[in-house]
Amino acid sequence: EVRLVESGGGLVQAGESLKLSCAASGLTSDDYTLSWFRLAPGKEREVVACISISDGLTYYADSVEGQYTISSDNAKNTIYQQMNDLKPENTAAYYCAQASNTNNYLDPDEYADWGRGTQVSVYA
């Protein structure tokens, strides 16, 4: 059973930074993608950043390009998301998700496993 546990969220002032972590367990393959999604009040869930564990390739949504950085520590089965210069519009619940053997990493339906999320709240 795959388990994803997010941590690192919090309440911060605009301009500050946060680093989210997602610890994965139960994964049996090296060919998978771990991604961060977010869900803000009144908005649809959106993919924020993705990383392919097998080759380290990354993807960023246009809205966070240059602001967020996704990385992985494969020895710890953990991914991170460094979020800098946070803005109120970054406020959302952030979820980690895992998809196996897919190139369609932008489609939430490709992700079989999800964490419970961590809340990021940014005030002006």
Side-chain angles (χ1 to χ4, degrees):
E1 179 186 1
V2 175
R3 186 167 181 242
L4 304 172
V5 180
E6 303 96 333
S7 61
L11 175 64
V12 297
Q13 190 171 21
E16 294 184 341
S17 299
L18 283 173
K19 187 174 185 178
L20 306 184
S21 300
C22 171
S25 60
L27 293 163
T28 59
S29 169
D30 291 334
D31 185 15
Y32 61 93
T33 298
L34 287 172
S35 299
W36 290 99
F37 288 79
R38 67 184 177 188
L39 182 62
K43 296 184 178 180
E44 294 187 356
R45 178 177 52 183
E46 63 171 330
V47 61
V48 174
C50 311
I51 186 165
S52 170
I53 297 303
S54 60
D55 55 21
L57 292 178
T58 59
Y59 163 86
Y60 295 96
D62 289 343
S63 57
V64 303
E65 181 83 54
Q67 183 189 11
Y68 291 6
T69 303
I70 190 170
S71 61
S72 68
D73 182 336
N74 293 351
K76 295 182 179 180
N77 289 330
T78 300
I79 66 166
Y80 306 93
Q81 180 163 273
Q82 178 68 44
M83 307 183 297
N84 296 328
D85 190 24
L86 284 164
K87 303 171 177 61
E89 54 262 40
N90 299 134
T91 294
Y94 285 75
Y95 298 87
C96 177
Q98 184 272 146
S100 297
N101 193 26
T102 181
N103 290 322
N104 194 15
Y105 49 83
L106 298 184
D107 183 355
D109 291 338
E110 291 289 316
Y111 291 81
D113 303 290
W114 294 78
R116 293 190 173 187
T118 185
Q119 178 67 36
V120 172
S121 298
V122 185
Y123 64 93

